[in-house]
Amino acid sequence: MDKKKIFITYGIPEIGIQLLLKKGYEVEVYSKEKLISKHELIKKVRQVDAVISLLTDKIDRDVIDAMQRCKIIANYAVGFNNIDIDYAKRKGIIVTNTPDVLTDSTADLTMALVLACLRRFNEGEKMMRTNKFKGWRPKLLLGYELKNKIFGIVGMGRIGFAVAKRAFAFGCKIVYYSNNRNDEAEKLFNAKRISLRTLMKNSDIISLHIPLTSKTKNLLNAELLSLMKPFSVLINTARGEVIDEKYLISLLKQKKIFAAGFDVYENEPNINTELLKLHNAVLLPHIGSATHEARNAMSELAAKNVIVVLSGKKPLTPVN
């Protein structure tokens, strides 16, 4: 009997690959440093039993139609907006993701962005690197403290909850907007569920933790963004497309808000060059889950999903 074949669209941590090899599977990892093209992806998936994909791989109907015997697409990410999950389901292909295992790393990074914005870290570091620090001054790079700030969380899921836990420890007052009430957050952190409009108007810090769907695309439009306080901070570690990025840039340019922290972008990996000119924007290259712990756990979970599905069992973290 032929070995089951697994195709991985980019190099991932070895722990997952070794799990697949121990099961006797034939594993091919795309070896080029660049991301795989759609043309190459279609060629590679024709005769494989499973695919482990990245968030950057667009798996549309053309790619899915090329999958002649694939049973599972295991996305190496918590998001899955890169995959036509409904069409995959119609074709009998299971789609999985990697939730939970990157919650803490993303929540940690969110708080790092919050502090970097409030305390103007990027401006201070640039000052040091360009040898412009002339000694302590009473009003040098004045920022804001976190204590007693109203911390608004858009999306009180796993990551939103983890951020609320951290913000509460800093002495923040937690408010949130979410489709569902989070009783645990309300009990542990005295969090209050409010409307999105009220959250945007009253929060000192706004942090986004929602998936990208047809309903959340451009959710934070110009009207909502215009409600923000002049000394507020906005953090996006969710998806770039959930916000009107151009309007946010205009607010930052006019200093109508204090700062914004970005880990994701609307046209990623192409960044709006206007962002590069702003001293009140902290920019990171989509590294929310970039810890050894999280990326290893993502690799392991993606591999385990492949193994259980190819063994005829239910997936561990299905999305369709």
Side-chain angles (χ1 to χ4, degrees):
M1 188 175 180
D2 290 341
K3 284 185 177 182
K4 287 187 167 57
K5 296 180 180 179
I6 320 298
F7 178 64
I8 304 175
T9 64
Y10 198 84
I12 62 174
E14 196 67 20
I15 185 171
I17 296 170
Q18 288 303 316
L19 281 176
L20 297 170
L21 291 173
K22 285 177 183 177
K23 291 294 292 184
Y25 298 155
E26 183 180 315
V27 179
E28 180 185 356
V29 181
Y30 188 65
S31 58
K32 297 179 182 178
E33 277 301 307
K34 66 177 183 178
L35 298 175
I36 192 168
S37 68
K38 181 177 178 178
H39 177 71
E40 288 179 292
L41 183 58
I42 287 174
K43 285 199 303 182
K44 292 291 186 181
V45 300
R46 291 191 187 280
Q47 295 297 323
V48 300
D49 300 280
V51 174
I52 295 179
S53 57
L54 303 188
L55 191 65
T56 47
D57 302 320
K58 188 170 179 58
I59 302 182
D60 57 14
R61 292 188 173 207
D62 295 336
V63 178
I64 292 169
D65 281 338
M67 296 176 173
Q68 297 177 19
R69 68 187 208 195
C70 184
K71 297 290 189 294
I72 175 174
I73 302 165
N75 215 35
Y76 183 79
V78 69
F80 45 86
N81 52 284
N82 58 309
I83 302 171
D84 189 333
I85 59 171
D86 293 330
Y87 193 65
K89 185 176 181 179
R90 281 170 52 189
K91 290 289 188 175
I93 300 172
I94 291 168
V95 178
T96 63
N97 64 341
T98 58
D100 297 321
V101 296
L102 48 71
T103 297
D104 286 326
S105 59
T106 306
D108 287 349
L109 187 91
T110 298
M111 296 308 295
L113 279 171
V114 170
L115 291 168
C117 286
L118 288 175
R119 299 302 301 272
R120 303 170 66 175
F121 287 175
N122 59 335
E123 294 175 78
E125 202 212 14
K126 184 178 179 181
M127 179 182 288
M128 299 304 295
R129 290 185 181 276
T130 55
N131 199 31
K132 291 182 180 178
F133 177 54
K134 304 303 179 185
W136 186 90
R137 298 289 188 274
K139 295 183 180 180
L140 178 65
L141 293 179
L142 293 181
Y144 292 94
E145 297 177 4
L146 253 177
K147 187 178 180 182
N148 293 326
K149 296 296 186 291
I150 299 173
F151 200 113
I153 295 175
V154 181
M156 188 59 86
R158 300 178 191 90
I159 297 173
F161 182 88
V163 170
K165 180 180 179 181
R166 287 157 173 76
F168 184 73
F170 273 95
C172 294
K173 300 172 184 177
I174 310 298
V175 297
Y176 73 99
Y177 165 78
S178 193
N179 288 334
N180 301 306
R181 184 176 296 280
N182 193 310
D183 294 329
E184 191 175 5
E186 294 184 10
K187 179 182 178 182
L188 294 178
F189 316 131
N190 197 29
K192 290 181 172 55
R193 186 181 181 212
I194 58 178
S195 71
L196 183 55
R197 188 177 182 86
T198 303
L199 183 147
M200 297 299 295
K201 187 176 181 180
N202 295 329
S203 298
D204 300 303
I205 296 124
I206 298 165
S207 191
L208 310 183
H209 303 286
I210 49 177
L212 176 61
T213 67
S214 58
K215 292 181 179 180
T216 62
K217 188 172 183 179
N218 206 37
L219 177 66
L220 268 65
N221 55 28
E223 181 187 356
L224 286 171
L225 290 171
S226 66
L227 298 175
M228 293 173 64
K229 294 179 180 180
F231 299 109
S232 61
V233 166
L234 188 141
I235 306 296
N236 190 5
T237 59
R239 290 290 178 264
E241 296 92 331
V242 303
I243 193 167
D244 185 337
E245 190 176 272
K246 287 184 179 178
Y247 190 77
L248 177 58
I249 290 171
S250 73
L251 292 179
L252 291 165
K253 278 184 176 179
Q254 299 171 66
K255 298 184 179 179
K256 289 189 174 180
I257 64 172
F258 187 68
F262 299 78
D263 189 44
V264 290
Y265 305 87
E266 187 174 5
N267 297 304
E268 194 174 319
N270 299 313
I271 308 302
N272 188 320
T273 54
E274 293 301 306
L275 280 172
L276 305 177
K277 304 172 186 177
L278 298 174
H279 68 80
N280 54 349
V282 180
L283 312 177
L284 295 178
H286 201 151
I287 56 171
S289 63
T291 64
H292 291 289
E293 296 90 343
R295 295 285 169 87
N296 283 336
M298 290 165 67
S299 178
E300 185 176 10
L301 181 54
K304 285 181 175 179
N305 269 307
V306 168
I307 291 167
V308 295
V309 168
L310 294 188
S311 301
K313 299 174 184 177
K314 291 182 179 180
L316 302 174
T317 53
V319 296
N320 69 340

